[in-house]
Amino acid sequence: MTDLGASEPQLVSGRWRRVSDSECARRYPAELTIGPGSRYLGTRGPDQGLPVWDVGTARMPDGATLVMSTSSDELVSYRLEVVDGRFTITAPDGCVVTFERQA
């Protein structure tokens, strides 16, 4: 049996604000909350359409991968780096997005 709790995204749990502002990064939510039970909620910014991450599940099968359910319910794996209160994902299309931890 697989221990689902082992893949909860504890490294990135909490409240985050997107600090990347590239065209591709603006597809991701302006704010992101990743809570217990591997659930997340993305909040769009002003004048932003439906973000890639709206509400769903987040998992970390290892320390370098974040798997998120997207607004289309697809499970997508992102390369993940966590450093000094920020996390950066690299999407399969090459888009790099950084989020900063909020108090």
Side-chain angles (χ1 to χ4, degrees):
M1 175 187 279
T2 301
D3 180 7
L4 294 177
S7 65
E8 281 201 29
Q10 295 177 359
L11 278 176
V12 293
S13 290
R15 294 184 60 225
W16 301 89
R17 179 179 57 86
R18 178 176 42 82
V19 293
S20 298
D21 197 37
S22 66
E23 185 175 334
C24 70
R26 288 190 293 271
R27 295 188 320 243
Y28 292 83
E31 295 184 0
L32 179 66
T33 302
I34 301 175
S38 300
R39 302 293 299 167
Y40 80 84
L41 174 65
T43 305
R44 65 184 179 182
D47 303 322
Q48 183 180 21
L50 179 66
V52 171
W53 300 338
D54 57 349
V55 63
T57 59
R59 295 276 184 200
M60 282 185 64
D62 59 52
T65 306
L66 179 64
V67 178
M68 300 283 281
S69 61
T70 67
S71 57
S72 66
D73 294 331
E74 177 183 11
L75 290 175
V76 177
S77 295
Y78 301 86
R79 192 172 67 225
L80 174 69
E81 182 178 355
V82 181
V83 178
D84 295 332
R86 290 183 170 206
F87 81 83
T88 300
I89 58 106
T90 302
D93 65 3
C95 184
V96 176
V97 185
T98 299
F99 289 85
E100 183 174 72
R101 187 176 294 281
Q102 298 299 288

